[in-house]
Amino acid sequence: MGPILADYRSAPIGEPLRATLALLETLTLRPEALTPEAVRTVLAHGVTREAVRDAMYVAFLFNIYDRLADTLGWEKPGEAYYRNAGRHLLKHGYL
């Protein structure tokens, strides 16, 4: 696990990313605590409104996928799947 995943609070990253990750943590773990001030804090670090919106969209989708996987009992594919998928993406892209 890299330093950002281990603890974004002390990872060697810029403050705009750190503020964005804090916002996404709140969105994911404590959505009832999400406030306009939390978004203003990220904007004050120089993150654009569009970047905040995009980050929240991505987090929202991953949160849904994660909850669906937990609810429906989806299994994580094996290592071979990820190697093959990675080669395919490198060769063909997402399209």
Side-chain angles (χ1 to χ4, degrees):
M1 178 183 309
I4 295 173
L5 293 178
D7 183 7
Y8 73 86
R9 290 171 195 84
S10 61
I13 58 175
E15 291 307 311
L17 178 55
R18 192 179 325 280
T20 302
L21 292 173
L23 177 72
L24 298 178
E25 179 181 60
T26 302
L27 174 67
T28 299
L29 301 178
R30 299 174 310 283
E32 73 284 353
L34 195 60
T35 64
E37 186 55 38
V39 175
R40 286 187 200 104
T41 298
V42 178
L43 295 172
H45 280 91
V47 179
T48 66
R49 288 178 174 271
E50 293 78 16
V52 170
R53 181 199 61 219
D54 290 349
M56 291 178 85
Y57 284 165
V58 169
F60 172 77
L61 288 172
F62 272 95
N63 286 333
I64 288 175
Y65 299 153
D66 188 51
R67 285 167 175 85
L68 283 171
D70 289 346
T71 301
L72 300 174
W74 294 345
E75 296 292 325
K76 180 180 172 189
E79 186 64 33
Y81 168 83
Y82 291 107
R83 274 194 304 276
N84 290 335
R87 281 193 291 269
H88 179 79
L89 286 172
L90 286 172
K91 185 174 181 180
H92 302 287
Y94 283 97
L95 302 176

